[in-house]
C-alpha cells in the first residue's frame, strides 16, 4: 500500500536524490553547452585572425605593383590571400582600389600636386576628406590610376561541439585590409640616400634644361630633407675650380673642358653631395613651409648647371654615384640612383671610347644593383634612331631604350610607347615635355616609400 507523506513530514532521501540528479543534469547540460560554445568561439576567433593575416598579406603583395599594374596587383593580392589561409576560397575574397592623396594644408580639397603624381581617379573621383587625407573610389577598368588596394574576405567556421546545443556554424564577418604604395597623402617616410643624375649634353635644349630643372626641384618638394638625402650628379662632369655666379654663387655646375675630363674624380661627376638635415652637405633643401630653400647649394646647382660638350657617357656617372653612395650613405637607408638622359652613349674627343658604350653603362648599373642600389632610368625624348654604338656584343644595333630598361631595377623595354610609364617597373620614357616633372614625382614616391598597410579615412 502506498504511503502518503503528511504535511511537514521530511521527504525521503531517495526523493531528494532524484531531484538533485535532475538539477545536476540540467546544470551539466548548460555547462557543457557553454564550454562547447567557448571552444568553438575560440576556433572562430582564431579563424578571424587567420583571415586578417591573409588579407594583410594579400594587400601588401598587391600594393607592390601599384599604381601602374592593377591587373596583376589584383591577381597577386588574391593569390597571397588564399595562400595564407587555406580555408578561404576565391569566392570569399574581394579586391578593389582607391586613390589616396593628401590635404596637407587642411583646406578640405585634395592636394593638386598629388594628382596625377600619386594617383588619379579621373571621372570616377568622389572625394572624402578627413584628417589631412583625401580618398576616392578608383576603377582601373575606367583608366583610373590607383595607389591603394583593398582586400576583403570572410569565412564560415563549422563548429565541432556547439551543434550539441543546436548551433552549427559561425561567421568571421567581413575582414578588410588596405595597403598603399608611394607617399599616400603624406610626406614619404622612408630613409633614402639618392643621387639624381641630370643630362646636360648638347642635345638638351634650353627648354629641355628648364623642364629638367623643374623636375629635379619637384623631387625636392616631394621629399623631406630630414629623411631623404639627395645628391646631384651631372652628365658630363663639372669644373671643380670655379663655381656658378650671382644668386647661385658657390654651387658647381659648370661644364668641364676636355682637359678636365676624367673618370676617377667623384666630385666632378657628383658636384653636390648628399644634402639634407644632418647630411654630408648639412643643408635643408626645403624651408619649413615646404618651399625650396634658395640658399641650399643643391637648389642653386639645379638652377644653374649648363650644357656640357663632352659627349654622352652613361657608365661613368653611374659608377661615380655608386662610389659616392657606398662611401657616404647611411646604414639602413635605401640607396638609389635616378638617371635621366635624352640619348644613347656618344663618344667625343674627351674620355676613353670604351666608356661610351652601352655595354659599359650596363656593367656599371649591374654592379650598382648588386651592391644594393635601386636604379630608375628615364629616357627623355629618345628617338627610334637612338641606337647603341657598340660594334659587337649584346647591345650591337640595340635601341637605347633596351639599354635603359636593362640598367633599371627589374624592368622591361616597351619601346617608349604609352605603356612604358604604366607598367609598374623602374624604366620610364616620354617625349620632351613638362611631363618630366610628373615622372620624377612618381619616381620619388616609389623610391622613398614602398607599400605599407594603412587605415583609410572614413
Amino acid at each position: 500500500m502506498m504511503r502518503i507523506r503528511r504535511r511537514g513530514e521530511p521527504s525521503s532521501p531517495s526523493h531528494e536524490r532524484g531531484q538533485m540528479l535532475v538539477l545536476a543534469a540540467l546544470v551539466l547540460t548548460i555547462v557543457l553547452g557553454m564550454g562547447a560554445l567557448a571552444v568553438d568561439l575560440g576556433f572562430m576567433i582564431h579563424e578571424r585572425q587567420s583571415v586578417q593575416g591573409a588579407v594583410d598579406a594579400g594587400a601588401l603583395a598587391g600594393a607592390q605593383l601599384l599604381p601602374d599594374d592593377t591587373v596583376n596587383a589584383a591577381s597577386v593580392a588574391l593569390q597571397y590571400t588564399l595562400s595564407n589561409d587555406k580555408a578561404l576560397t576565391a569566392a570569399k575574397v574581394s579586391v578593389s582600389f582607391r586613390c589616396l592623396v593628401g590635404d596637407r594644408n587642411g583646406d578640405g580639397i585634395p592636394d593638386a600636386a598629388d594628382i596625377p603624381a600619386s594617383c588619379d581617379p579621373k571621372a570616377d573621383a568622389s572625394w572624402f576628406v578627413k584628417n589631412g587625407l583625401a580618398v576616392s573610389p578608383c576603377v582601373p577598368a575606367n583608366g583610373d590610376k590607383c595607389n591603394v588596394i583593398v582586400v576583403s574576405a570572410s569565412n564560415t567556421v563549422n563548429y565541432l561541439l556547439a551543434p550539441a546545443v543546436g548551433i552549427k556554424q559561425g561567421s568571421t564577418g567581413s575582414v578588410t585590409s588596405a595597403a598603399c604604395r608611394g607617399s599616400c597623402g603624406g610626406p614619404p617616410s622612408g630613409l633614402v640616400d639618392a643621387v639624381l643624375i641630370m643630362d646636360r649634353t648638347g642635345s638638351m635644349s634650353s627648354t629641355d634644361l628648364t623642364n629638367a630643372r623643374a623636375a629635379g626641384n619637384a623631387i625636392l618638394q616631394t621629399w623631406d630633407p630630414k629623411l631623404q638625402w639627395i645628391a646631384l650628379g651631372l652628365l658630363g662632369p663639372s669644373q671643380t675650380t670655379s663655381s656658378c655666379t650671382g644668386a647661385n654663387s658657390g654651387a658647381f655646375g659648370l661644364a668641364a673642358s676636355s682637359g678636365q675630363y676624367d673618370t676617377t674624380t667623384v666630385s666632378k661627376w657628383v658636384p653636390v653631395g648628399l644634402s639634407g638635415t644632418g647630411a654630408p652637405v648639412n643643408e635643408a633643401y626645403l624651408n619649413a613651409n615646404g618651399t625650396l630653400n634658395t640658399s641650399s647649394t643643391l637648389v642653386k646647382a639645379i638652377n644653374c648647371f649648363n650644357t656640357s660638350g663632352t659627349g654622352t657617357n652613361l657608365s661613368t656617372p653611374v659608377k661615380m654615384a655608386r662610389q659616392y653612395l657606398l662611401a657616404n650613405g647611411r646604414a639602413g637607408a635605401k640607396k638609389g640612383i635616378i638617371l635621366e638622359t635624352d640619348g644613347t652613349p656618344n663618344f667625343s674627343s674627351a674620355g676613353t671610347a670604351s666608356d661610351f658604350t652601352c655595354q659599359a653603362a650596363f656593367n656599371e648599373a649591374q654592379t650598382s644593383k648588386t651592391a644594393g642600389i635601386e636604379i630608375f632610368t628615364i629616357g627623355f625624348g629618345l628617338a627610334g634612331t637612338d641606337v647603341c654604338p657598340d660594334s659587337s656584343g649584346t647591345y650591337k644595333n640595340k635601341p637605347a631604350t633596351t639599354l635603359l630598361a636593362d640598367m633599371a631595377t627589374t624592368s622591361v623595354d616597351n619601346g617608349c610607347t604609352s605603356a612604358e610609364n604604366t607598367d609598374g617597373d623602374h624604366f620610364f620614357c616620354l617625349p620632351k615635355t613638362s611631363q618630366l616633372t610628373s615622372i620624377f614625382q612618381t619616381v620619388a614616391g616609389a623610391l622613398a616609400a614602398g607599400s605599407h598597410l594603412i587605415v583609410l579615412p572614413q
Side-chain angles (χ1 to χ4, degrees), residues 155-200:
N155 208 359
T156 300
V157 178
N158 292 319
Y159 288 155
L160 298 177
L161 302 177
V165 292
I167 303 175
K168 297 181 178 180
Q169 293 180 326
S171 174
T172 64
S174 181
V175 181
T176 298
S177 182
C180 180
R181 181 170 175 82
S183 57
C184 304
S189 58
L191 292 179
V192 172
D193 296 333
V195 176
L196 170 63
I197 302 173
M198 308 280 279
D199 192 340
R200 58 178 189 142

Side-chain angles (χ1 to χ4, degrees), residues 302-324:
I302 290 175
N303 289 334
C304 79
F305 71 80
N306 57 13
T307 55
S308 168
T310 56
T312 304
N313 177 344
L314 299 182
S315 64
T316 301
V318 172
K319 175 183 177 181
M320 297 293 102
R322 178 181 72 248
Q323 291 183 2
Y324 180 84

Side-chain angles (χ1 to χ4, degrees), residues 190-392:
L191 292 179
V192 172
D193 296 333
V195 176
L196 170 63
I197 302 173
M198 308 280 279
D199 192 340
R200 58 178 189 142
T201 53
S203 54
M204 292 282 288
S205 69
S206 60
T207 300
D208 298 337
L209 291 179
T210 296
N211 287 330
R213 290 190 182 99
N217 286 329
I219 289 185
L220 305 188
Q221 292 178 296
T222 300
W223 282 356
D224 181 344
K226 295 187 294 294
L227 301 174
Q228 292 89 36
W229 293 355
I230 182 169
L232 177 65
L234 291 176
L235 193 179
S238 293
Q239 294 184 32
T240 55
T241 56
S242 60
S243 60
C244 302
T245 60
N248 298 313
S249 177
F252 292 109
L254 302 180
S257 65
S258 296
Q260 295 171 309
Y261 189 97
D262 71 59
T263 57
T264 59
T265 306
V266 173
S267 61
K268 288 186 177 181
W269 295 88
V270 186
V272 182
L274 285 170
S275 300
T277 305
V281 181
N282 188 14
E283 298 174 347
Y285 46 79
L286 293 182
N287 297 313
N289 63 0
T291 59
L292 291 171
N293 176 12
T294 55
S295 297
S296 161
T297 305
L298 177 62
V299 174
K300 290 179 181 179
I302 290 175
N303 289 334
C304 79
F305 71 80
N306 57 13
T307 55
S308 168
T310 56
T312 304
N313 177 344
L314 299 182
S315 64
T316 301
V318 172
K319 175 183 177 181
M320 297 293 102
R322 178 181 72 248
Q323 291 183 2
Y324 180 84
L325 284 173
L326 295 180
N328 298 279
R330 291 167 291 181
K334 182 186 291 186
K335 295 175 176 60
I337 295 174
I338 305 169
L339 170 65
E340 171 265 320
T341 182
D342 75 338
T344 189
N346 181 18
F347 180 58
S348 68
S349 58
T352 303
S354 60
D355 294 327
F356 290 77
T357 64
C358 287
Q359 187 64 57
F362 170 79
N363 291 344
E364 294 298 345
Q366 190 64 29
T367 300
S368 300
K369 289 185 284 187
T370 301
I373 298 174
E374 197 166 339
I375 298 183
F376 291 82
T377 56
I378 302 164
F380 189 39
L382 289 177
T385 55
D386 289 312
V387 178
C388 289
D390 303 42
S391 58
S392 62

